[in-house]
Amino acid sequence: METLTTINQNIQKILHQLGIQEINPAYSTGLNFGYSEDASTKTIYSPIDGEELATVRFATEADYEKVIRQAEVAFAEWRKMPAPARGEIVRQIGNELRTHKDALGRLVTLEMGKILQEGWGEVQEMIDICDFAVGLSRQLYGLTIQSERGDHRMMEQYQPLGIVGIISAFNFPVAVWSWNAMLAAVCGDVCIWKPSEKTPLTAIACQHIIAKVLRDNNLPEGVFNLIIGDAHIGELMAKDERVPLISATGSTRMGKRVAQVVAARLGKSILELGGNNAVIITENANLEMALRSTIFGAVGTCGQRCTSTRRLIVHESLYETVKNKLLQVYPKLPIGNPLDNKTLVGPLIDQDAVNNFVNALQKVQAEGAKLLIGGEVLRGEAYANGCYVSPAIVEAQNHYEMVQQETFAPILYLIKYEGGIDEAIALQNGVKQGLSSSVFTNNLLEAEAFLSYRGSDCGIANVNLGTSGAEIGGAFGGEKETGGGRESGSDAWKAYMRRQTNTINYSTALPLAQGIQFDVKF
């Protein structure tokens, strides 16, 4: 087990393993130009113990222009490569990630605070999407369409968009970027990545890993670009007509701003925003399965997943049993240093997140909710100066203002329903967000109702499976204030390309569609 006192030594070793030699007093992102000398800097602290990890330098507008020009030059070359050849580069990136999985996973944990198993899991997710993208590079299919005109052929094909801007969040500091970047790359696009300013080190590490692959293949560095900065850089990307697609992950408030700015220039956007996800436990549920999934969904990543379980909607016949079982388990949850393999709940990302956790519990109790367990800010030697809290369970009503909001913290709202599955579904759908949802039942009619037109209104709807933990093979995203975008698997690749309809006339005649006659005499 790595202890809190060894974190400083470990960060130095891990960064060096990932090719990052200079981390203090300021770090340039490893692009082929240095950041401006007058750029501001930000010190990065670990949420595990509050210790300083490194200092990074933020980009200026002049730096941003350099990145854009570099990306434009790279796109002119990258799009010429056959898609399977681009897939070969992504395959090599996946192999490099396999080589660095342990070190990069540890860096995710040190910088973000999720437990080590989840840190490694996040890197594995990157590897998986690389594998998916490699196969996809040989399947960027179009359509052949029957023409109403004789000796004509119609077809659809997809062309690269250009520069894809990726704005990622702290909770998955590398995985969600890879969902976008690897698909965009095999589609022929180049990427500019602005990671969360809370977790830039993992982004810098990925940039170094990828830069090696590009150098080994004599390719321009500008295929994958990284820019470290605050919200101003994100605003520049959203406004920039040279960036036809912005994929943004974060809060609904942030997403609404991005959507407005991008739409104003008629650009494209993929938005993966807030979630207020519910698990329904019907009277026909397998309770052990339901409880295991709920607990992981509620406290995994310390409640900082967009798919975290925030509401538990339980039939009245099982309500007291479910409540009592949760109250037995929660005090036993190992909370602490996420580098310890015995830990299941690590810290929140920073003190602001801790304050939001405390404030949300105060507000929901003022509305009439009852705090059943947890809700404490944990202090003492075992928690050093980290951002640790005890996960909370709260008896509440679905209509309470705080229940309607997403609090990025381990708060589980316990809600009772008395009628049938339709009542439970109405409660599940009765929020503004629409990302992930789940029902636990062994009743076929209830399961099918949940998945039907009258069922869950979320982008993800699971039966006998929790809300958290999606596979890369399926398209990921949600509806309503979650944004409506789709990333990762299925046919999400189409968002990174422009669609084109082609008609080929292989006759010597010139018939018009709809049988229109328009004869011109020469």
Side-chain angles (χ1 to χ4, degrees), residues 320-350:
E320 290 300 324
T321 300
V322 167
K323 180 171 75 171
N324 291 333
K325 285 185 177 294
L326 288 173
L327 293 177
Q328 290 171 12
V329 172
Y330 261 55
K332 301 174 185 177
L333 292 172
I335 304 169
N337 179 6
L339 295 167
D340 185 342
N341 286 328
K342 296 178 181 178
T343 296
L344 295 181
V345 184
L348 290 168
I349 184 64
D350 55 23

Side-chain angles (χ1 to χ4, degrees), residues 380-441:
E381 183 179 350
Y383 307 107
N385 293 314
C387 301
Y388 297 91
V389 298
S390 59
I393 299 175
V394 178
E395 280 188 313
Q397 298 294 321
N398 201 62
H399 66 270
Y400 288 170
E401 182 181 352
M402 288 309 301
V403 178
Q404 291 285 311
Q405 299 179 21
E406 177 190 46
T407 302
F408 231 47
I411 302 174
L412 179 65
Y413 295 115
L414 201 53
I415 299 165
K416 183 191 298 184
Y417 79 98
E418 300 175 353
I421 187 65
D422 289 337
E423 179 187 340
I425 291 172
L427 289 168
Q428 137 67 35
N429 292 344
V431 293
K432 294 181 179 180
Q433 308 84 357
L435 179 53
S436 187
S437 58
S438 168
V439 65
F440 279 85
T441 179

Side-chain angles (χ1 to χ4, degrees), residues 115 200 316 363:
I115 63 174
E316 61 175 350
K363 289 179 180 178

Side-chain angles (χ1 to χ4, degrees), residues 233-268:
I233 294 297
E235 186 87 0
L236 291 177
M237 292 171 64
K239 290 179 178 178
D240 199 330
E241 294 182 355
R242 296 167 294 182
V243 185
L245 172 65
I246 296 290
S247 178
T249 303
S251 68
T252 297
R253 179 187 57 80
M254 180 276 287
K256 286 182 176 180
R257 174 60 183 167
V258 170
Q260 291 169 358
V261 173
V262 175
R265 60 175 174 87
L266 298 182
K268 301 175 185 294

Side-chain angles (χ1 to χ4, degrees), residues 478-522:
E479 302 300 322
K480 301 190 292 189
E481 287 196 353
T482 300
R486 293 297 185 273
E487 299 169 330
S488 191
S490 186
D491 64 348
W493 62 270
K494 293 179 179 179
Y496 305 91
M497 306 193 82
R498 56 182 176 87
R499 187 172 183 165
Q500 186 180 75
T501 300
N502 312 118
T503 306
I504 302 97
N505 178 1
Y506 55 93
S507 76
T508 57
L510 195 63
L512 298 176
Q514 292 84 47
I516 293 173
Q517 299 296 318
F518 190 80
D519 294 327
V520 177
K521 304 297 183 182
F522 288 96

Side-chain angles (χ1 to χ4, degrees), residues 125-405:
E125 197 164 352
M126 300 172 72
I127 295 167
D128 292 344
I129 200 65
C130 285
D131 290 348
F132 180 90
V134 172
L136 178 65
S137 70
R138 294 182 181 271
Q139 296 180 355
L140 298 173
Y141 53 84
L143 290 173
T144 298
I145 305 166
Q146 294 300 314
S147 173
E148 68 184 57
R149 291 170 283 186
D151 295 332
H152 282 59
R153 178 164 64 88
M154 291 179 64
M155 68 179 189
E156 286 184 348
Q157 61 178 343
Y158 289 83
Q159 306 284 9
L161 272 177
I163 300 174
V164 173
I166 303 169
I167 301 172
S168 62
F170 75 86
N171 60 328
F172 281 88
V174 288
V176 175
W177 159 76
S178 69
W179 293 356
N180 290 273
M182 299 308 142
L183 266 61
V186 297
C187 288
D189 302 319
V190 299
C191 300
I192 298 177
W193 178 19
K194 192 202 88 65
S196 168
E197 61 192 85
K198 297 180 180 182
T199 53
L201 298 183
T202 44
I204 293 169
C206 288
Q207 184 73 4
H208 276 269
I209 290 169
I210 288 176
K212 176 183 181 299
V213 174
L214 296 177
R215 286 194 303 269
D216 290 347
N217 288 275
N218 297 313
L219 291 169
E221 255 186 49
V223 174
F224 294 92
N225 301 276
L226 175 68
I227 188 160
I228 306 296
D230 56 16
H232 178 59
I233 294 297
E235 186 87 0
L236 291 177
M237 292 171 64
K239 290 179 178 178
D240 199 330
E241 294 182 355
R242 296 167 294 182
V243 185
L245 172 65
I246 296 290
S247 178
T249 303
S251 68
T252 297
R253 179 187 57 80
M254 180 276 287
K256 286 182 176 180
R257 174 60 183 167
V258 170
Q260 291 169 358
V261 173
V262 175
R265 60 175 174 87
L266 298 182
K268 301 175 185 294
S269 60
I270 299 172
L271 301 174
E272 201 286 282
L273 310 175
N276 196 347
N277 317 295
V279 168
I280 296 171
I281 299 180
T282 80
E283 58 188 324
N284 300 298
N286 180 318
L287 265 190
E288 182 179 352
M289 287 176 60
L291 289 168
R292 285 182 179 275
S293 292
T294 297
I295 292 167
F296 173 73
V299 307
T301 324
C302 202
Q304 295 172 113
R305 292 188 175 208
C306 51
T307 56
S308 289
T309 304
R310 311 213 177 276
R311 295 174 296 140
L312 183 59
I313 301 168
V314 186
H315 190 268
E316 61 175 350
S317 64
L318 295 175
Y319 184 84
E320 290 300 324
T321 300
V322 167
K323 180 171 75 171
N324 291 333
K325 285 185 177 294
L326 288 173
L327 293 177
Q328 290 171 12
V329 172
Y330 261 55
K332 301 174 185 177
L333 292 172
I335 304 169
N337 179 6
L339 295 167
D340 185 342
N341 286 328
K342 296 178 181 178
T343 296
L344 295 181
V345 184
L348 290 168
I349 184 64
D350 55 23
Q351 190 57 48
D352 286 343
V354 174
N355 294 340
N356 289 337
F357 171 77
V358 172
N359 292 338
L361 289 174
Q362 291 175 347
K363 289 179 180 178
V364 78
Q365 288 180 88
E367 292 184 80
K370 181 180 179 182
L371 176 63
L372 298 177
I373 196 170
E376 300 172 328
V377 178
L378 302 178
R379 305 295 185 193
E381 183 179 350
Y383 307 107
N385 293 314
C387 301
Y388 297 91
V389 298
S390 59
I393 299 175
V394 178
E395 280 188 313
Q397 298 294 321
N398 201 62
H399 66 270
Y400 288 170
E401 182 181 352
M402 288 309 301
V403 178
Q404 291 285 311
Q405 299 179 21

